[in-house]
Amino acid sequence: MEIYLYIALFAPLVSSLFAALFTATPKKQFVGIIASLLIFTAFVSSSILLTHILGTGEIVHVELMTWMATGNLYIPFGFVVDQVSVTMMMVVTLVSTIVHIYSIGYMDHDSGFNRFFSYLSAFVFSMMILVMSDNFAGLFIGWEGVGLCSWLLIGFWFHKESATWAANEAFIMNRIADLGMLIGIFLIYWNTGTLQYDGAFAAFGNLDQTTLTLIGIFLFIGAMGKSAQFPLHTWLADAMEGPTPVSALIHAATMVTAGVYLVVRSHELYALIPNVGLFIASLGAFVAIFAASMALVNRDIKRVIAYSTLSQLGYMFAAAGLGAYWVALFHLMAHAFFKALLFLGGGNVMHAMNNELDPFKMGALGKTMKGTMIMMTLASVALAGIFPLAGFFSKDLILEVAFVDHHFIIYTVLLLTAGLTAFYSFRIIALIFHGEDRHTALGHHPHEAYKFMLVAMSPLLILAIIAGFTMKMPYFEMVTELLPATEYHIHSHTTYWIMTIGTQLFVMLAIFFAYKKYMCSSVKIPDGTSKMENNFFYKLLINQYYIPYFYEAYIVKIYKALSVVCWEQIDKKIVDASVDGIANIFYNTGKNTRQMQSGNLSTMLKWMVAGTVALLSLAVVFGLAAKYSDEITIVLSSLGV
Amino acid sequence: MMEIGLNHYLVLSTILFTIGLIGVMRRKNLLLLFFATEILLNAVNVGFAAISHYYGDLTGQMFAFFVIAIAASELAVGLGLLIVWHKRHGTIDLDTMTSMRG
Amino acid sequence: MFEAVAFYLFAFLTITMFYITVTTSQALYALSALAAGMIFISAFFFILGADFLGAVQIIVYTGAVMALYAFGMMFFDTTREVKENHGNQYIVVGLGTLAAILVVVIFAVPMVSTNMQAFYPMTEGAGNTEMVGMVLFTKYLVPFEVAALMLLVAMVAGIVLAGKKMDLSLTLMNAEEIQEIEDQKNKKVLS
């Protein structure tokens, strides 16, 4: 089985390096095809590992080599494939295979075609390291690796000012969070003496509550950055500057869920500190409704989907914080499928509309883009959580968890968010595909994407439909061998049915409302004059609660001012001055002593005599020192030298 | 004071040497510079002879002897070079020799 | 008593002569003072019992060296004075004095003089010239021969350097100048 592990791990690396060979050359179709094939190989290997684990229940654990061994510190390049990591591997390899194939079509006309595949495969490799590592150090490498690839891919169109800005924002936000994570990892090593998951978790039982809480909080800060939780959430929406396949793979399906994975992976830690868990759940619920509210009014398809991702991540954290780790992981998986599908569909629309992102400028695209419309509609249905699609099973489960655990505030918030989710999802569906034709007037002539792109998306569609009812039970049985097997059942059947049907009706109502509002022929391209747009809440939401402005004004500006002060006062006047001073000493020494070399023999003779005098003085000094060496020793020793 | 010892000769030798050094440093005429070098060599010779006398050892005299030989050779070659220089440049001023300028 | 008087007298004379040599602006004065100084130096050698060295000093310096300098002076146009720009005299005198003081200090440190031992003690009863001859042709034979060779080389070098055509340097000339010399040679042969 080890061989499959290595294939799954290293095929993306090979793919990345192969594509990297052609980065300086013009577009080559076969680069994309070979990269896709190699990622597909990784997917096949992951599937074999999955069947192995499903069949035998035995965990594959290998140690590639020793990485660090100094004193008591021993960190190997160890990889583990267990029920949790194999789930992540399946999600990562499946979505990335599809995204790779899709990108062949999507990046068709881009000059950075080969480079794109190199980055994308490098991302998959980093992600595989992240999920497969058997210790925190390896996890951190993968963590930073995906951060780097995310930066590269968000800033893929680096000639665009906004893209580089967004890439840097994402990178810097993540660095802030990673500092927290690093402190958490240091604390773990400090207190347990190991970074291996099993060793560290076994040692947690002996630690006091304060230390555990600190570790839990610092690790969660890392997770907050990567999963864009409040208050580090602003980068995710801006990250939509990257190519759409990147948004689908990194900023919806895989990388942003790494935070959830970390919490799930550290469930033994969080089980010991339920207060932190409750905080995570509360923050998750808050982010869910917070992000959903911003999605309600946004006029950018990709940003709406990004906020929706943020909101769904909030759901996952809510579940994980409440101790329902398997539920969180299940929602992660289901979400990856339908969210990637939604993004790829959005990509098709963008492609058709020449990168137009405002849904108000589209409308009636359903006529020309039937395939995309069906896919996006079904993905939205799944996202909204309508029976029997994937979202219903995973999301309703989270609601049940909150209800059963008597966290009614969280439950209410999440329920409300479900309604909002349905509304904004169908708001953009209605605006894009239905209603009046608003794009022809703007000179767009949409066309359907390549056939093979739609075919590549179809596995996601199928999974988004069937993942819920076919996979829930087998998945539960598999993953609970590792995670706490808590089943959440509402004791009273009546309550259960009322809740389920009530939720469904609420969601349906929201969808109906969205269609009604945005399909009618009176929808106009907003121009800032309508009554709604001058509403206080609308302004608050469209400006993202003014948080980016707040950061800009109170953090970035202050930091920049501080940097300027440091630059002008410390760097220029101390660091530069000392370096320049040293240089000037040598320069002036050379300048002054150069006169010795005037070529005038008389001067040279004088210097010769001066040298003789110097040597004679040395002779006197050393002669005296030799003669009075005993006395000198006594004097020095009395001085304590 | 009346008893002349080794130190008297050494001090004399030093004084003569200093005069030579001053000459070497201040002379700009190459020929006169050669005179100064002769003074240096003779100052040393006095020292050698004195040490030889007061220690009853002939080595000092031998060295003085060879120093005279070296002085003679140096003079022969030095004057030859001086003549060449004078022929080519028409001057023996030390300040005009700046071909070794770094 | 006689020794002391002689020492101080000749010390005074030598220093005066050498002082004139290094300070006078007249080359002829300098030459004469130097010659006188050399002879006075030889007086010290006689006082110290180094008769042979004294004789050599007079012969070599006043006989050969001074004659050579005199010829040299005649060769150079002595009427055309080299204008000596002395610059800062304090540096010159200061350095010289400092060197002198240091040397005296080194000699004054007793360990230098107490550690000396005679390698070739003087034989009682033998004359100075005899002893010099014995040591020079036994212990210092090879250096003596080398010195002789060196004098020969110096003589040849002096003749060659001061000889004809030495104002030309083939290495420092460019091709045209060399060609010109060649042409002149050929002309002479033809004519």
Side-chain angles (χ1 to χ4, degrees), chain A residues 625 628-641:
Chain A
Y628 298 106
S629 59
D630 294 342
E631 286 85 342
I632 292 169
T633 318
I634 290 164
V635 169
L636 282 180
S637 59
S638 71
L639 287 171
V641 177

mmCIF file of all heavy atoms in Angstrom, chain A residues 625 628-641:
data_model
loop_
_atom_site.group_PDB
_atom_site.id
_atom_site.type_symbol
_atom_site.label_atom_id
_atom_site.label_comp_id
_atom_site.label_asym_id
_atom_site.label_seq_id
_atom_site.Cartn_x
_atom_site.Cartn_y
_atom_site.Cartn_z
ATOM 1 N N ALA A 625 59.067 44.499 27.354
ATOM 2 C CA ALA A 625 58.070 43.536 27.828
ATOM 3 C C ALA A 625 58.750 42.226 28.201
ATOM 4 O O ALA A 625 58.426 41.604 29.218
ATOM 5 C CB ALA A 625 57.006 43.309 26.753
ATOM 6 N N TYR A 628 60.731 42.774 31.488
ATOM 7 C CA TYR A 628 59.952 42.927 32.714
ATOM 8 C C TYR A 628 58.720 42.029 32.706
ATOM 9 O O TYR A 628 57.700 42.380 33.276
ATOM 10 C CB TYR A 628 59.542 44.391 32.874
ATOM 11 C CG TYR A 628 60.715 45.327 32.997
ATOM 12 C CD1 TYR A 628 61.093 46.157 31.968
ATOM 13 C CD2 TYR A 628 61.475 45.330 34.183
ATOM 14 C CE1 TYR A 628 62.201 46.991 32.084
ATOM 15 C CE2 TYR A 628 62.580 46.156 34.301
ATOM 16 C CZ TYR A 628 62.949 46.984 33.259
ATOM 17 O OH TYR A 628 64.025 47.802 33.374
ATOM 18 N N SER A 629 58.831 40.893 32.064
ATOM 19 C CA SER A 629 57.652 40.038 31.921
ATOM 20 C C SER A 629 57.099 39.623 33.283
ATOM 21 O O SER A 629 55.880 39.563 33.474
ATOM 22 C CB SER A 629 57.991 38.808 31.088
ATOM 23 O OG SER A 629 59.014 38.096 31.707
ATOM 24 N N ASP A 630 57.976 39.334 34.219
ATOM 25 C CA ASP A 630 57.499 38.908 35.543
ATOM 26 C C ASP A 630 56.686 40.005 36.213
ATOM 27 O O ASP A 630 55.577 39.763 36.707
ATOM 28 C CB ASP A 630 58.690 38.539 36.422
ATOM 29 C CG ASP A 630 59.393 37.317 35.894
ATOM 30 O OD1 ASP A 630 58.754 36.599 35.084
ATOM 31 O OD2 ASP A 630 60.564 37.096 36.253
ATOM 32 N N GLU A 631 57.225 41.224 36.161
ATOM 33 C CA GLU A 631 56.524 42.330 36.803
ATOM 34 C C GLU A 631 55.176 42.559 36.145
ATOM 35 O O GLU A 631 54.175 42.793 36.824
ATOM 36 C CB GLU A 631 57.375 43.616 36.716
ATOM 37 C CG GLU A 631 58.569 43.655 37.636
ATOM 38 C CD GLU A 631 59.792 42.976 37.045
ATOM 39 O OE1 GLU A 631 59.613 42.191 36.088
ATOM 40 O OE2 GLU A 631 60.919 43.224 37.513
ATOM 41 N N ILE A 632 55.171 42.470 34.805
ATOM 42 C CA ILE A 632 53.909 42.688 34.086
ATOM 43 C C ILE A 632 52.883 41.654 34.493
ATOM 44 O O ILE A 632 51.708 41.972 34.734
ATOM 45 C CB ILE A 632 54.152 42.659 32.563
ATOM 46 C CG1 ILE A 632 54.982 43.884 32.163
ATOM 47 C CG2 ILE A 632 52.848 42.651 31.790
ATOM 48 C CD1 ILE A 632 55.495 43.831 30.754
ATOM 49 N N THR A 633 53.348 40.413 34.632
ATOM 50 C CA THR A 633 52.435 39.350 35.047
ATOM 51 C C THR A 633 51.838 39.656 36.408
ATOM 52 O O THR A 633 50.630 39.496 36.639
ATOM 53 C CB THR A 633 53.173 38.004 35.112
ATOM 54 O OG1 THR A 633 54.024 37.909 34.002
ATOM 55 C CG2 THR A 633 52.207 36.846 35.153
ATOM 56 N N ILE A 634 52.677 40.141 37.302
ATOM 57 C CA ILE A 634 52.182 40.427 38.657
ATOM 58 C C ILE A 634 51.156 41.549 38.618
ATOM 59 O O ILE A 634 50.071 41.448 39.207
ATOM 60 C CB ILE A 634 53.366 40.819 39.574
ATOM 61 C CG1 ILE A 634 54.231 39.587 39.824
ATOM 62 C CG2 ILE A 634 52.879 41.390 40.898
ATOM 63 C CD1 ILE A 634 55.589 39.884 40.379
ATOM 64 N N VAL A 635 51.480 42.608 37.852
ATOM 65 C CA VAL A 635 50.562 43.750 37.790
ATOM 66 C C VAL A 635 49.229 43.317 37.190
ATOM 67 O O VAL A 635 48.152 43.639 37.699
ATOM 68 C CB VAL A 635 51.191 44.889 36.961
ATOM 69 C CG1 VAL A 635 50.145 45.966 36.675
ATOM 70 C CG2 VAL A 635 52.372 45.477 37.704
ATOM 71 N N LEU A 636 49.329 42.533 36.111
ATOM 72 C CA LEU A 636 48.093 42.097 35.451
ATOM 73 C C LEU A 636 47.264 41.223 36.371
ATOM 74 O O LEU A 636 46.041 41.342 36.428
ATOM 75 C CB LEU A 636 48.424 41.350 34.159
ATOM 76 C CG LEU A 636 48.803 42.220 32.972
ATOM 77 C CD1 LEU A 636 49.102 41.347 31.770
ATOM 78 C CD2 LEU A 636 47.684 43.186 32.635
ATOM 79 N N SER A 637 47.921 40.309 37.081
ATOM 80 C CA SER A 637 47.152 39.404 37.940
ATOM 81 C C SER A 637 46.521 40.183 39.090
ATOM 82 O O SER A 637 45.422 39.859 39.534
ATOM 83 C CB SER A 637 48.049 38.290 38.479
ATOM 84 O OG SER A 637 49.104 38.853 39.210
ATOM 85 N N SER A 638 47.215 41.233 39.552
ATOM 86 C CA SER A 638 46.616 42.022 40.625
ATOM 87 C C SER A 638 45.410 42.793 40.119
ATOM 88 O O SER A 638 44.489 43.088 40.863
ATOM 89 C CB SER A 638 47.647 42.989 41.212
ATOM 90 O OG SER A 638 47.899 44.009 40.263
ATOM 91 N N LEU A 639 45.399 43.081 38.797
ATOM 92 C CA LEU A 639 44.224 43.751 38.236
ATOM 93 C C LEU A 639 43.109 42.771 37.948
ATOM 94 O O LEU A 639 42.017 43.156 37.557
ATOM 95 C CB LEU A 639 44.613 44.488 36.953
ATOM 96 C CG LEU A 639 45.446 45.752 37.148
ATOM 97 C CD1 LEU A 639 45.949 46.255 35.822
ATOM 98 C CD2 LEU A 639 44.634 46.827 37.851
ATOM 99 N N GLY A 640 43.409 41.499 38.116
ATOM 100 C CA GLY A 640 42.373 40.496 37.932
ATOM 101 C C GLY A 640 42.222 40.022 36.504
ATOM 102 O O GLY A 640 41.197 39.449 36.130
ATOM 103 N N VAL A 641 43.235 40.261 35.675
ATOM 104 C CA VAL A 641 43.142 39.793 34.290
ATOM 105 C C VAL A 641 43.566 38.328 34.228
ATOM 106 O O VAL A 641 44.628 38.000 34.746
ATOM 107 C CB VAL A 641 44.015 40.657 33.351
ATOM 108 C CG1 VAL A 641 43.976 40.110 31.936
ATOM 109 C CG2 VAL A 641 43.534 42.082 33.375
#
